[in-house]
Amino acid sequence: MFNPQENEAPQHPLQNNSKPGPKGAYEVRRVNNGLYIRVDMPGVASLDDVKLNNKSDKHSITFYGKAPMREGWPLDDSQRVYAGSICLDRDPDLIPIEKTFKNGCLRLFLPAADGNLCFLTNQESGQSQNPADEQVHQPDVIIGGLVCVIPYKPDCGCCKGGHSDIQERTCTKEMSFINPCVLQGVRGVYETKFLQEKEGDDGWGMYFRFDMPDFSTARMCQVKVEKKRCIIFGPMGSKEYPLDQGGRSYFCKLTLCCDCCYFLSEKAVHELKDGVMRMWFTILSKQKNNSSSAKRVRNNSRRT
């Protein structure tokens, strides 16, 4: 059993953690003479999909939620089961619990109560990325997250308003950003998978998922796909709950670091639902284009 202390959750690597607001996969705070608990469950659709069971004899509450596999995404295996418990100082049946669930995030407030949050998981790394075939050239993608945004005003008089610098960091394979609430399924907050379109073909499909709790299709999220990179930006939103200290903001940059590959931007698709962003890219190789051009030249030469 994993028993986290108050507010010790690792920060989400693709979230702007320089601003006040929810950070990490969970939160435990003593506030307003009560206990406030937030648990991220990206992929779970609604409060109807979360089971809360009071155990009066043990002074505890168990919770359980299930996120199904998303239809229409063949490489998606992010069906997950979330579970945990709250150990309290009194009978939970005597506590008027306030509970809300929105965009993959469970929030509970237990007035006049105190306790601890527990998870029934080990602490293994949760990043998921399919292994590369050394015999075939596979695109190499760097995943970048946001450290902070530094606003400034330019010295020149030609600009209206201020500008800002974005400090980024690279998310390496050694980083273990996991959600300890996950009992079954992938535990990393992001993953990439590659699929070669046809045997012997230089074209690839890339599936990318990253968890964006508190975000959904109703929230503005900007996605910009260029040849060598893709930027996903979720601007700072409003507080989702009165006891939150602010909203959340996300930033992710995918960069193709090999010179021969590029994103086919017009075929990129994305979906943001229940706190999960899913994307599909077609990646082409310049080598493929060059060989195709040479083949066309040879064919034309035969005709003449």
Side-chain angles (χ1 to χ4, degrees), residues 112-133:
D114 198 2
N116 297 296
L117 179 64
C118 302
F119 299 124
L120 305 174
T121 60
N122 55 36
Q123 294 302 290
E124 296 176 354
S125 175
Q127 183 178 353
S128 174
Q129 186 165 0
N130 58 318
D133 183 352

Side-chain angles (χ1 to χ4, degrees), residues 297-304:
V297 171
R298 288 195 297 270
N299 291 338
N300 292 334
S301 298
R302 293 192 187 101
R303 296 191 190 98
T304 57

